Amino acid sequence: MVTLFIVLAVALSGGVSLVAESSVPGDALYGVKTHVNENIRSVVTTTAEADAQWEADLAERRLKEIETLSLRGELTSEVAAELGAAFSSHAHAALTGASTLASNGKATVAADIAAYVEGMMQANANSVTKIEANSDTSVEADTASIIDQIRVKLGGGENTSVESDAQVNTTTNVNVNAKSTTSVDIGL
């Protein structure tokens, strides 16, 4: 009987966790998504590359949540500001991780992550605009300075292109090849 209870509890919690993945702020399971699922995933990322990529993925999740809420007509300025701050924090962590990777001789991985973040912001320009409209910072200005630092560490100057074939999945599920030649500024 106890075994059945344990199996049932694990099955139900896994189902809740899975359903929570599509939640957005205001949904009952959003806390499960951000405080349980994402924290567990953060714990199991064991390399600097995986950490930086996970931070980039978290940044993209926050942009997609902004877009989802906006499409539903449920995006408030308060929620946009909160998601914007979370996006900026995750994008900054991803780019800082990429910068460290570049310093440690992992130029290709660093360029891939930087291009992924840059491409994500371009693909989700409407969400970035909503963040900037509800905060005191320029998301583009903040990220650009870090991307410039990565470019310098990769052996080029600030005008060096960070290129990658990283796939960015937009909210309309269209894959965009991120071939970045422009700089993006996030004033972090």
Side-chain angles (χ1 to χ4, degrees), residues 100-118:
T100 301
L101 290 167
S103 295
N104 293 333
K106 297 189 176 189
T108 302
V109 175
D112 285 348
I113 292 168
Y116 179 79
V117 171
E118 197 169 24

Side-chain angles (χ1 to χ4, degrees), residues 13-29:
S13 65
V16 168
S17 183
L18 184 62
V19 172
E21 282 299 302
S22 63
S23 65
V24 295
D27 291 349
L29 295 177

Side-chain angles (χ1 to χ4, degrees), residues 1 8 22 91 95 99 123-124 132 142 149-150 158 160 164 183:
M1 181 72 159
L8 185 60
S22 63
L95 293 172
S99 180
N124 293 282
E132 291 177 337
D142 289 345
Q149 291 171 17
I150 293 169
E158 291 182 4
T160 303
S164 174
S183 65

Side-chain angles (χ1 to χ4, degrees), residues 41-55:
R41 174 89 185 269
S42 292
V43 169
V44 299
T45 57
T46 58
T47 66
E49 296 92 341
D51 287 340
Q53 185 59 54
W54 176 237
E55 290 293 339

Side-chain angles (χ1 to χ4, degrees), residues 49 52-53 55-57 87 91-102 106-122 143-154 160-168 178-186:
E49 296 92 341
Q53 185 59 54
E55 290 293 339
D57 292 344
F87 165 79
H92 184 267
L95 293 172
T96 300
S99 180
T100 301
L101 290 167
K106 297 189 176 189
T108 302
V109 175
D112 285 348
I113 292 168
Y116 179 79
V117 171
E118 197 169 24
M120 165 202 338
M121 291 177 58
Q122 291 170 358
T143 55
S145 65
I146 299 171
I147 290 173
D148 286 342
Q149 291 171 17
I150 293 169
R151 287 182 176 125
V152 170
K153 288 179 182 181
L154 293 176
T160 303
S161 172
V162 175
E163 294 188 7
S164 174
D165 290 326
Q167 295 290 315
V168 177
K179 290 271 189 190
S180 301
T181 55
T182 60
S183 65
V184 178
D185 292 326
I186 292 186

Side-chain angles (χ1 to χ4, degrees), residues 7-76:
V7 169
L8 185 60
V10 169
L12 290 176
S13 65
V16 168
S17 183
L18 184 62
V19 172
E21 282 299 302
S22 63
S23 65
V24 295
D27 291 349
L29 295 177
Y30 187 69
V32 173
K33 175 182 178 180
T34 59
H35 292 90
V36 177
N37 295 359
E38 292 178 355
N39 285 340
I40 289 172
R41 174 89 185 269
S42 292
V43 169
V44 299
T45 57
T46 58
T47 66
E49 296 92 341
D51 287 340
Q53 185 59 54
W54 176 237
E55 290 293 339
D57 292 344
L58 289 170
E60 184 176 29
R61 283 176 170 227
R62 302 300 85 94
L63 286 178
K64 287 183 178 187
E65 290 164 359
I66 289 169
E67 191 63 29
T68 298
L69 288 170
S70 180
L71 289 171
R72 289 182 186 174
E74 299 172 4
L75 183 65
T76 65

